[in-house]
Amino acid sequence: MIANGPALIGSPEQVIEKILNYHEAFGHQVLSISVDGLTESEQEEQLQRFAEEVLPVLKREIPSTVWDSSPALSEEEKAASAIH
C-alpha cells in the first residue's frame, strides 16, 4: 500500500524515487507535502529531513521555472532574442 499509494513514506531515497516517478508521469513542478498526525516536534523533524535530504536532489533532478520572476517567453520571443 505504501509503495503504490500516494503517501510519501519511507527513506529519503524511497521518497525521492516516488516523487521522480510522479514527475515523469505527470510533469509537475509543484508538490504539496503534509505531516498531519504527528506531534509538532515530529512535524518539524520530518520537514527538516525533507529539506535537507530530499529537496536538494529534487532541485537538481527536476529543474523548475515556477518561481522564476521573469515572465516566460513565447517561442517567437525566444527566436527573436536569439537573433539579436
Coordinates of all heavy atoms in Angstrom, one line a residue:
M1 N 0.8 -1.2 0.0 CA 0.0 0.0 0.0 C 0.9 1.3 0.0 O 0.6 2.2 -0.7 CB -0.9 0.0 1.2 CG -1.8 1.2 1.3 SD -3.0 1.2 0.0 CE -4.5 1.3 0.9
I2 N 1.9 1.3 0.8 CA 2.8 2.4 0.9 C 3.5 2.6 -0.4 O 3.6 3.7 -1.0 CB 3.7 2.4 2.1 CG1 3.0 2.5 3.4 CG2 4.8 3.4 2.0 CD1 3.8 2.3 4.6
A3 N 4.1 1.5 -0.9 CA 4.9 1.6 -2.2 C 4.1 2.1 -3.4 O 4.5 2.8 -4.2 CB 5.5 0.3 -2.5
N4 N 2.8 1.7 -3.5 CA 2.0 2.0 -4.6 C 1.0 3.1 -4.4 O 0.3 3.6 -5.3 CB 1.2 0.8 -5.1 CG 2.2 -0.3 -5.6 OD1 3.2 0.0 -6.2 ND2 1.9 -1.5 -5.2
G5 N 0.8 3.6 -3.1 CA -0.1 4.7 -2.8 C 0.5 6.0 -3.0 O 1.7 6.1 -3.2
P6 N -0.2 7.1 -2.7 CA 0.3 8.4 -2.9 C 1.1 8.9 -1.7 O 1.8 10.0 -1.9 CB -1.0 9.3 -3.1 CG -2.0 8.5 -2.3 CD -1.7 7.0 -2.5
A7 N 1.1 8.3 -0.6 CA 1.8 8.7 0.6 C 3.3 8.7 0.4 O 3.8 7.8 -0.2 CB 1.4 7.9 1.8
L8 N 3.9 9.8 0.8 CA 5.4 9.9 0.7 C 6.0 9.4 2.1 O 6.4 10.1 2.9 CB 5.8 11.3 0.4 CG 5.3 11.9 -0.9 CD1 5.7 13.3 -1.0 CD2 5.9 11.1 -2.0
I9 N 6.1 8.0 2.2 CA 6.5 7.4 3.4 C 7.7 6.5 3.0 O 7.7 5.8 2.0 CB 5.4 6.5 4.0 CG1 4.2 7.4 4.4 CG2 6.0 5.8 5.2 CD1 3.0 6.7 4.9
G10 N 8.8 6.6 3.8 CA 9.9 5.7 3.6 C 11.2 6.5 3.8 O 11.2 7.6 4.3
S11 N 12.3 5.9 3.3 CA 13.6 6.5 3.4 C 13.6 7.7 2.5 O 12.8 7.8 1.5 CB 14.7 5.5 3.0 OG 14.6 5.2 1.6
P12 N 14.6 8.6 2.6 CA 14.7 9.7 1.7 C 14.8 9.2 0.2 O 14.2 9.8 -0.7 CB 16.0 10.4 2.1 CG 16.1 10.2 3.6 CD 15.6 8.7 3.7
E13 N 15.6 8.1 0.0 CA 15.7 7.6 -1.3 C 14.4 7.1 -1.9 O 14.1 7.3 -3.1 CB 16.7 6.4 -1.3 CG 18.1 6.8 -1.0 CD 18.4 7.1 0.5 OE1 17.6 6.6 1.4 OE2 19.4 7.8 0.8
Q14 N 13.5 6.5 -1.0 CA 12.2 6.0 -1.5 C 11.3 7.2 -1.8 O 10.6 7.1 -2.8 CB 11.6 5.1 -0.4 CG 12.3 3.8 -0.2 CD 11.8 3.1 1.0 OE1 11.7 3.7 2.1 NE2 11.5 1.8 0.8
V15 N 11.4 8.2 -1.0 CA 10.5 9.4 -1.3 C 11.0 10.1 -2.5 O 10.2 10.4 -3.4 CB 10.6 10.3 -0.1 CG1 9.9 11.7 -0.4 CG2 9.9 9.7 1.2
I16 N 12.3 10.2 -2.7 CA 12.8 10.8 -3.9 C 12.4 10.0 -5.2 O 11.9 10.6 -6.2 CB 14.4 10.9 -3.9 CG1 14.8 12.0 -2.8 CG2 15.0 11.2 -5.3 CD1 16.2 11.9 -2.4
E17 N 12.5 8.7 -5.1 CA 12.2 7.9 -6.2 C 10.7 8.0 -6.6 O 10.3 8.2 -7.7 CB 12.5 6.4 -5.9 CG 12.1 5.5 -7.1 CD 12.4 4.0 -6.8 OE1 12.9 3.7 -5.7 OE2 12.2 3.2 -7.7
K18 N 9.8 8.0 -5.5 CA 8.4 8.2 -5.8 C 8.1 9.5 -6.4 O 7.3 9.6 -7.4 CB 7.6 8.0 -4.5 CG 6.1 8.0 -4.7 CD 5.3 7.8 -3.5 CE 5.2 6.3 -3.3 NZ 4.2 6.0 -2.2
I19 N 8.7 10.6 -5.9 CA 8.4 11.9 -6.5 C 8.9 12.0 -7.9 O 8.3 12.6 -8.8 CB 9.0 13.0 -5.6 CG1 8.3 13.1 -4.3 CG2 9.0 14.4 -6.3 CD1 9.0 14.0 -3.2
L20 N 10.1 11.5 -8.2 CA 10.6 11.5 -9.6 C 9.7 10.7 -10.5 O 9.5 11.1 -11.6 CB 12.1 10.9 -9.6 CG 13.1 11.8 -8.9 CD1 14.5 11.1 -9.0 CD2 13.2 13.2 -9.6
N21 N 9.2 9.6 -10.0 CA 8.2 8.8 -10.8 C 7.0 9.6 -11.1 O 6.4 9.6 -12.2 CB 7.9 7.5 -10.1 CG 9.0 6.5 -10.1 OD1 10.0 6.6 -11.0 ND2 9.0 5.5 -9.2
Y22 N 6.5 10.3 -10.1 CA 5.3 11.2 -10.3 C 5.6 12.2 -11.4 O 4.8 12.5 -12.2 CB 4.9 11.9 -9.0 CG 4.2 11.1 -8.0 CD1 4.2 11.5 -6.6 CD2 3.6 9.9 -8.2 CE1 3.6 10.8 -5.6 CE2 3.0 9.2 -7.2 CZ 2.9 9.6 -5.9 OH 2.3 8.9 -5.0
H23 N 6.8 12.8 -11.2 CA 7.2 13.9 -12.2 C 7.3 13.3 -13.6 O 6.8 13.9 -14.6 CB 8.5 14.5 -11.8 CG 9.0 15.5 -12.8 ND1 8.4 16.7 -13.0 CD2 10.0 15.4 -13.7 CE1 9.0 17.4 -14.0 NE2 10.0 16.6 -14.4
E24 N 7.8 12.1 -13.7 CA 7.9 11.5 -15.1 C 6.5 11.3 -15.6 O 6.3 11.5 -16.8 CB 8.7 10.2 -15.0 CG 8.9 9.5 -16.3 CD 9.8 8.3 -16.2 OE1 10.6 8.2 -15.3 OE2 9.5 7.3 -17.0
A25 N 5.6 10.8 -14.8 CA 4.3 10.5 -15.3 C 3.4 11.8 -15.5 O 2.6 11.8 -16.5 CB 3.5 9.6 -14.2
F26 N 3.6 12.8 -14.7 CA 2.7 13.9 -14.8 C 3.3 15.3 -15.1 O 2.6 16.2 -15.4 CB 1.9 14.1 -13.4 CG 1.2 12.9 -13.0 CD1 1.6 12.1 -11.9 CD2 0.1 12.4 -13.7 CE1 0.9 11.0 -11.5 CE2 -0.6 11.2 -13.3 CZ -0.1 10.5 -12.2
G27 N 4.6 15.4 -15.1 CA 5.3 16.6 -15.5 C 5.2 17.7 -14.5 O 5.5 18.9 -14.9
H28 N 4.7 17.5 -13.3 CA 4.5 18.6 -12.4 C 5.8 19.2 -11.9 O 6.9 18.6 -11.9 CB 3.7 18.1 -11.2 CG 4.5 17.2 -10.3 ND1 4.8 15.9 -10.7 CD2 5.1 17.4 -9.1 CE1 5.6 15.3 -9.8 NE2 5.8 16.2 -8.8
Q29 N 5.8 20.5 -11.4 CA 6.9 21.2 -10.9 C 6.6 21.6 -9.4 O 7.5 22.2 -8.8 CB 7.3 22.4 -11.7 CG 7.9 22.0 -13.0 CD 8.4 23.3 -13.8 OE1 8.5 24.4 -13.2 NE2 8.6 23.1 -15.1
V30 N 5.4 21.4 -9.0 CA 5.0 21.8 -7.6 C 4.4 20.6 -6.9 O 3.7 19.8 -7.5 CB 3.9 22.9 -7.7 CG1 3.4 23.2 -6.3 CG2 4.4 24.2 -8.4
L31 N 4.8 20.4 -5.7 CA 4.4 19.3 -4.9 C 4.0 19.8 -3.5 O 4.7 20.6 -2.9 CB 5.6 18.3 -4.7 CG 5.3 17.1 -3.9 CD1 4.4 16.1 -4.6 CD2 6.7 16.4 -3.6
S32 N 2.9 19.3 -3.0 CA 2.4 19.7 -1.7 C 2.7 18.5 -0.7 O 2.4 17.3 -1.1 CB 0.9 20.0 -1.7 OG 0.5 20.2 -0.4
I33 N 3.3 18.7 0.4 CA 3.5 17.7 1.4 C 2.8 18.0 2.6 O 2.5 19.2 2.9 CB 5.0 17.4 1.6 CG1 5.7 18.7 2.2 CG2 5.7 17.0 0.4 CD1 7.1 18.4 2.7
S34 N 2.5 17.0 3.4 CA 1.8 17.1 4.7 C 2.4 16.3 5.7 O 2.9 15.2 5.4 CB 0.3 16.8 4.5 OG -0.4 16.8 5.7
V35 N 2.4 16.7 6.9 CA 2.9 15.9 8.0 C 1.8 15.8 9.1 O 2.1 15.8 10.3 CB 4.2 16.5 8.6 CG1 5.4 16.3 7.6 CG2 4.1 18.0 8.9
D36 N 0.6 15.7 8.7 CA -0.5 15.6 9.6 C -0.4 14.3 10.5 O 0.2 13.3 10.0 CB -1.8 15.5 8.9 CG -2.2 16.8 8.2 OD1 -1.7 17.9 8.6 OD2 -3.0 16.8 7.2
G37 N -1.0 14.4 11.7 CA -1.0 13.2 12.5 C 0.3 13.0 13.4 O 0.4 12.0 14.1
L38 N 1.2 14.0 13.3 CA 2.4 13.9 14.1 C 2.4 15.0 15.1 O 1.7 16.0 14.9 CB 3.7 14.1 13.2 CG 3.8 13.1 12.0 CD1 5.0 13.5 11.2 CD2 4.0 11.7 12.6
T39 N 3.2 14.9 16.1 CA 3.3 16.0 17.1 C 4.1 17.1 16.4 O 4.7 17.0 15.4 CB 4.1 15.5 18.4 OG1 5.5 15.3 18.0 CG2 3.5 14.3 19.0
E40 N 4.0 18.3 17.1 CA 4.7 19.4 16.5 C 6.2 19.2 16.3 O 6.8 19.5 15.3 CB 4.5 20.7 17.3 CG 5.0 21.9 16.7 CD 4.7 23.2 17.5 OE1 3.7 23.2 18.3 OE2 5.5 24.1 17.4
S41 N 6.8 18.6 17.3 CA 8.3 18.3 17.2 C 8.6 17.3 16.1 O 9.5 17.4 15.3 CB 8.9 17.9 18.5 OG 8.3 16.7 18.9
E42 N 7.7 16.3 15.9 CA 7.8 15.3 14.8 C 7.6 15.9 13.5 O 8.4 15.6 12.5 CB 6.8 14.1 15.0 CG 7.1 13.2 16.2 CD 6.0 12.3 16.5 OE1 4.8 12.6 16.2 OE2 6.3 11.2 17.1
Q43 N 6.7 16.8 13.4 CA 6.5 17.6 12.1 C 7.7 18.4 11.8 O 8.2 18.3 10.6 CB 5.3 18.5 12.2 CG 3.9 17.8 12.3 CD 2.8 18.8 12.5 OE1 2.9 20.0 12.2 NE2 1.6 18.2 12.9
E44 N 8.3 19.1 12.7 CA 9.5 19.9 12.5 C 10.6 19.0 12.0 O 11.4 19.3 11.1 CB 9.9 20.7 13.7 CG 8.9 21.8 14.0 CD 9.3 22.6 15.3 OE1 10.5 22.4 15.8 OE2 8.5 23.3 15.8
E45 N 10.8 17.8 12.7 CA 11.8 16.9 12.3 C 11.7 16.4 10.9 O 12.6 16.3 10.1 CB 11.9 15.7 13.3 CG 12.9 14.7 13.0 CD 12.8 13.4 13.8 OE1 12.0 13.4 14.8 OE2 13.4 12.4 13.5
Q46 N 10.5 16.0 10.5 CA 10.2 15.4 9.2 C 10.4 16.5 8.1 O 11.0 16.2 7.1 CB 8.8 14.8 9.1 CG 8.7 13.6 10.0 CD 9.7 12.5 9.7 OE1 10.0 12.2 8.5 NE2 10.4 12.0 10.7
L47 N 9.9 17.7 8.4 CA 10.1 18.8 7.4 C 11.6 19.1 7.2 O 12.1 19.4 6.1 CB 9.3 20.0 7.8 CG 7.8 19.8 7.7 CD1 7.1 21.0 8.3 CD2 7.4 19.6 6.2
Q48 N 12.3 19.1 8.3 CA 13.8 19.4 8.3 C 14.5 18.3 7.5 O 15.3 18.6 6.6 CB 14.4 19.4 9.7 CG 15.8 19.8 9.8 CD 16.1 21.3 9.4 OE1 15.2 22.1 9.7 NE2 17.2 21.5 8.8
R49 N 14.1 17.0 7.7 CA 14.7 15.9 6.9 C 14.4 16.1 5.5 O 15.3 15.8 4.6 CB 14.2 14.6 7.5 CG 14.8 14.2 8.8 CD 14.5 12.8 9.2 NE 15.1 11.9 8.3 CZ 14.7 10.6 8.1 NH1 13.6 10.2 8.7 NH2 15.4 9.8 7.3
F50 N 13.2 16.4 5.1 CA 12.8 16.6 3.7 C 13.6 17.7 3.1 O 14.2 17.5 2.0 CB 11.3 16.9 3.6 CG 10.8 17.0 2.2 CD1 10.3 15.8 1.6 CD2 10.8 18.2 1.5 CE1 9.8 15.9 0.3 CE2 10.3 18.2 0.2 CZ 9.8 17.1 -0.4
A51 N 13.8 18.8 3.8 CA 14.5 20.0 3.3 C 16.0 19.6 3.1 O 16.6 20.1 2.1 CB 14.4 21.2 4.2
E52 N 16.6 18.8 4.0 CA 18.0 18.5 3.9 C 18.3 17.3 3.0 O 19.4 17.3 2.4 CB 18.5 18.3 5.3 CG 18.5 19.5 6.2 CD 19.0 19.2 7.6 OE1 19.2 18.0 8.0 OE2 19.1 20.1 8.4
E53 N 17.5 16.3 3.0 CA 17.8 15.1 2.3 C 17.1 14.8 1.0 O 17.6 14.1 0.2 CB 17.6 13.9 3.3 CG 18.4 14.0 4.6 CD 18.1 12.9 5.6 OE1 17.8 11.7 5.1 OE2 18.0 13.2 6.8
V54 N 15.9 15.4 0.9 CA 15.1 15.1 -0.3 C 15.1 16.3 -1.3 O 15.4 16.2 -2.5 CB 13.7 14.8 0.0 CG1 12.8 14.6 -1.2 CG2 13.6 13.5 0.9
L55 N 14.9 17.5 -0.8 CA 14.8 18.7 -1.6 C 16.0 19.0 -2.5 O 15.8 19.3 -3.7 CB 14.4 19.9 -0.7 CG 13.9 21.1 -1.5 CD1 12.7 20.8 -2.4 CD2 13.5 22.2 -0.5
P56 N 17.2 18.9 -2.0 CA 18.4 19.1 -2.9 C 18.4 18.2 -4.1 O 18.7 18.7 -5.2 CB 19.6 18.9 -1.9 CG 19.1 19.1 -0.6 CD 17.6 18.6 -0.6
V57 N 18.0 17.0 -3.9 CA 18.0 16.0 -5.0 C 16.9 16.4 -6.0 O 17.2 16.4 -7.3 CB 17.8 14.6 -4.6 CG1 17.7 13.6 -5.7 CG2 19.0 14.2 -3.6
L58 N 15.8 16.8 -5.5 CA 14.7 17.2 -6.4 C 15.0 18.4 -7.2 O 14.7 18.5 -8.4 CB 13.4 17.4 -5.6 CG 12.8 16.1 -4.9 CD1 11.6 16.5 -4.1 CD2 12.6 15.0 -5.9
K59 N 15.6 19.4 -6.5 CA 16.0 20.6 -7.2 C 17.0 20.3 -8.3 O 16.9 21.0 -9.4 CB 16.6 21.6 -6.2 CG 15.6 22.3 -5.4 CD 16.3 23.3 -4.5 CE 15.3 24.1 -3.7 NZ 15.9 25.2 -2.9
R60 N 17.9 19.4 -8.1 CA 18.8 19.0 -9.1 C 18.2 18.2 -10.3 O 18.5 18.4 -11.4 CB 20.0 18.2 -8.5 CG 21.1 17.8 -9.5 CD 22.2 17.1 -8.8 NE 21.8 15.7 -8.4 CZ 21.8 15.3 -7.1 NH1 22.2 16.1 -6.2 NH2 21.3 14.1 -6.9
E61 N 17.3 17.3 -9.9 CA 16.7 16.4 -10.9 C 15.5 17.0 -11.7 O 15.2 16.5 -12.8 CB 16.3 15.1 -10.2 CG 17.5 14.3 -9.6 CD 18.4 13.8 -10.7 OE1 18.0 13.4 -11.8 OE2 19.7 13.8 -10.4
I62 N 14.8 17.9 -11.1 CA 13.6 18.5 -11.7 C 13.8 20.0 -11.7 O 13.3 20.7 -10.8 CB 12.3 18.1 -10.9 CG1 12.2 16.6 -10.7 CG2 11.1 18.7 -11.6 CD1 11.1 16.2 -9.8
P63 N 14.4 20.5 -12.7 CA 14.6 22.0 -12.8 C 13.2 22.6 -12.9 O 12.3 22.1 -13.6 CB 15.3 22.2 -14.1 CG 16.0 20.9 -14.4 CD 15.1 19.8 -13.8
S64 N 13.0 23.7 -12.2 CA 11.7 24.3 -12.2 C 11.8 25.8 -12.6 O 12.7 26.5 -12.3 CB 11.2 24.3 -10.7 OG 10.0 25.0 -10.6
T65 N 10.7 26.2 -13.3 CA 10.6 27.6 -13.7 C 9.4 28.3 -12.9 O 9.1 29.4 -13.2 CB 10.4 27.8 -15.2 OG1 9.2 27.0 -15.5 CG2 11.5 27.2 -16.0
V66 N 8.8 27.5 -12.0 CA 7.6 28.0 -11.3 C 7.9 29.3 -10.6 O 7.1 30.2 -10.6 CB 7.1 27.0 -10.3 CG1 6.0 27.5 -9.5 CG2 6.6 25.7 -11.1
W67 N 9.0 29.4 -9.9 CA 9.3 30.6 -9.0 C 10.2 31.6 -9.7 O 10.6 32.6 -9.1 CB 9.9 30.2 -7.7 CG 9.0 29.1 -7.0 CD1 9.4 27.9 -6.8 CD2 7.7 29.3 -6.6 NE1 8.4 27.2 -6.2 CE2 7.3 28.0 -6.0 CE3 6.8 30.3 -6.6 CZ2 6.1 27.7 -5.5 CZ3 5.5 30.0 -6.0 CH2 5.2 28.8 -5.5
D68 N 10.4 31.4 -11.0 CA 11.2 32.3 -11.8 C 10.5 33.7 -11.9 O 9.3 33.7 -12.3 CB 11.5 31.7 -13.2 CG 12.4 32.6 -14.0 OD1 12.9 33.6 -13.6 OD2 12.7 32.1 -15.2
S69 N 11.1 34.7 -11.5 CA 10.4 36.0 -11.5 C 10.3 36.7 -12.9 O 9.5 37.6 -13.1 CB 11.2 37.0 -10.6 OG 12.5 37.2 -11.1
S70 N 11.1 36.2 -13.9 CA 11.0 36.7 -15.2 C 9.8 36.1 -16.0 O 9.6 34.9 -15.8 CB 12.3 36.5 -16.0 OG 12.6 35.2 -16.1
P71 N 9.1 36.8 -16.8 CA 8.0 36.2 -17.5 C 8.5 35.2 -18.5 O 9.6 35.3 -19.1 CB 7.3 37.4 -18.2 CG 8.3 38.4 -18.2 CD 9.3 38.2 -17.1
A72 N 7.7 34.2 -18.7 CA 8.0 33.1 -19.7 C 8.0 33.8 -21.1 O 7.1 34.5 -21.5 CB 7.1 32.0 -19.6
L73 N 8.9 33.4 -22.0 CA 8.9 33.9 -23.3 C 8.2 32.9 -24.2 O 8.3 31.7 -24.1 CB 10.4 34.1 -23.8 CG 11.3 35.1 -23.1 CD1 12.7 35.0 -23.7 CD2 10.7 36.5 -23.2
S74 N 7.5 33.5 -25.2 CA 6.9 32.7 -26.2 C 8.0 32.2 -27.2 O 9.1 32.7 -27.2 CB 5.9 33.5 -27.0 OG 6.5 34.4 -27.8
E75 N 7.7 31.2 -28.0 CA 8.7 30.7 -28.9 C 9.1 31.8 -29.9 O 10.3 31.8 -30.2 CB 8.1 29.5 -29.7 CG 7.9 28.2 -28.9 CD 9.1 27.8 -28.2 OE1 10.2 27.7 -28.8 OE2 9.1 27.4 -27.0
E76 N 8.2 32.6 -30.3 CA 8.6 33.8 -31.2 C 9.6 34.7 -30.5 O 10.5 35.2 -31.1 CB 7.3 34.5 -31.6 CG 6.4 33.7 -32.5 CD 5.5 32.8 -31.7 OE1 5.3 33.0 -30.5 OE2 5.0 31.9 -32.4
E77 N 9.3 35.0 -29.2 CA 10.2 35.9 -28.5 C 11.6 35.3 -28.3 O 12.6 36.0 -28.4 CB 9.6 36.3 -27.1 CG 8.3 37.1 -27.2 CD 7.6 37.3 -25.9 OE1 7.4 36.2 -25.2 OE2 7.1 38.4 -25.6
K78 N 11.6 34.0 -28.0 CA 12.9 33.3 -27.9 C 13.7 33.3 -29.2 O 14.9 33.6 -29.2 CB 12.7 31.8 -27.5 CG 12.2 31.6 -26.1 CD 11.9 30.1 -25.8 CE 11.3 29.9 -24.5 NZ 10.9 28.5 -24.2
A79 N 13.0 33.1 -30.3 CA 13.7 33.1 -31.6 C 14.2 34.6 -31.9 O 15.3 34.7 -32.4 CB 12.7 32.7 -32.7
A80 N 13.4 35.5 -31.6 CA 13.8 36.9 -31.8 C 15.0 37.3 -31.0 O 15.9 38.0 -31.4 CB 12.6 37.9 -31.6
S81 N 15.0 36.9 -29.7 CA 16.1 37.3 -28.8 C 17.4 36.5 -29.2 O 18.5 37.0 -29.0 CB 15.8 37.0 -27.4 OG 15.6 35.6 -27.1
A82 N 17.3 35.4 -29.9 CA 18.4 34.6 -30.3 C 19.1 35.3 -31.5 O 20.3 35.2 -31.7 CB 18.0 33.2 -30.7
I83 N 18.3 36.0 -32.3 CA 18.8 36.7 -33.5 C 19.7 37.9 -33.0 O 20.7 38.2 -33.7 CB 17.7 37.2 -34.4 CG1 17.0 35.9 -34.9 CG2 18.2 38.1 -35.5 CD1 15.7 36.2 -35.7
H84 N 19.3 38.6 -32.0 CA 19.9 39.8 -31.6 C 21.1 39.5 -30.8 O 21.8 39.2 -30.2 CB 19.0 40.7 -30.7 CG 17.8 41.1 -31.5 ND1 17.9 41.9 -32.6 CD2 16.5 40.9 -31.4 CE1 16.6 42.1 -33.1 NE2 15.8 41.5 -32.4

